[in-house]
Amino acid sequence: MGDQARWLLIVERAYRGSIETQYADALYCVPDLHRQSGGCDLALRGHAAGYALDSGSRPALRLGDRTLDTLPHPPTSVARLLAAGVTVLVEEDGLAALGRTAAERLLPGVRVIRGDDLAARWPSYEQVWFL
């Protein structure tokens, strides 16, 4: 498997279906894709850049008289991906939109790139997927 080209996985839309799925997020399938391919790089763009931030506590969500405490926690998923050898990239613009202290709260190992740098990398990947 070492001679295969890597895949680029891109997540742009954050927290889609969080309540509906509860146990999983858009990153749920990334470990399997990483194992089955020659390896994956994950790019977080727009609001999904928040997945790579240390968010501190994880409050439960209350809807009416029901408490949802099984929602996915993307920063935990990103930390697991980094530990598994997935390269995690965050675009500068998405990070900047999350506030002036966002860069200080990045999880260790996450790399910040310029938006046009991501597009320039596409030809080096075997496949590019939007999750």
Side-chain angles (χ1 to χ4, degrees):
M1 249 199 300
D3 59 346
Q4 288 180 298
R6 294 178 73 82
W7 294 358
L8 175 63
L9 310 174
I10 301 171
V11 178
E12 294 180 313
R13 296 178 186 233
Y15 306 103
R16 287 187 315 210
S18 292
I19 292 175
E20 292 85 351
T21 58
Q22 292 189 33
Y23 62 89
D25 54 30
L27 306 178
Y28 184 75
C29 64
V30 175
D32 287 331
L33 293 172
H34 181 66
R35 278 191 300 273
Q36 294 173 17
S37 68
C40 291
D41 292 351
L42 173 68
L44 302 171
R45 304 175 69 190
H47 293 296
Y51 286 5
L53 298 183
D54 181 355
S55 58
S57 66
R58 189 174 160 195
L61 175 64
R62 186 140 178 91
L63 294 173
D65 62 350
R66 185 168 183 199
T67 300
L68 297 175
D69 57 3
T70 57
L71 295 176
H73 189 245
T76 299
S77 298
V78 169
R80 282 191 201 121
L81 294 174
L82 287 164
V86 175
T87 299
V88 178
L89 310 167
V90 174
E91 282 190 343
E92 275 180 337
D93 292 347
L95 191 59
L98 295 171
R100 63 179 174 77
T101 64
E104 299 165 12
R105 295 182 290 131
L106 271 177
L107 295 171
V110 174
R111 300 180 194 168
V112 179
I113 61 168
R114 291 187 359 222
D116 53 353
D117 287 349
L118 183 61
R121 293 173 182 228
W122 283 28
S124 67
Y125 291 100
E126 179 183 6
Q127 296 183 35
V128 177
W129 294 27
F130 285 83
L131 301 180

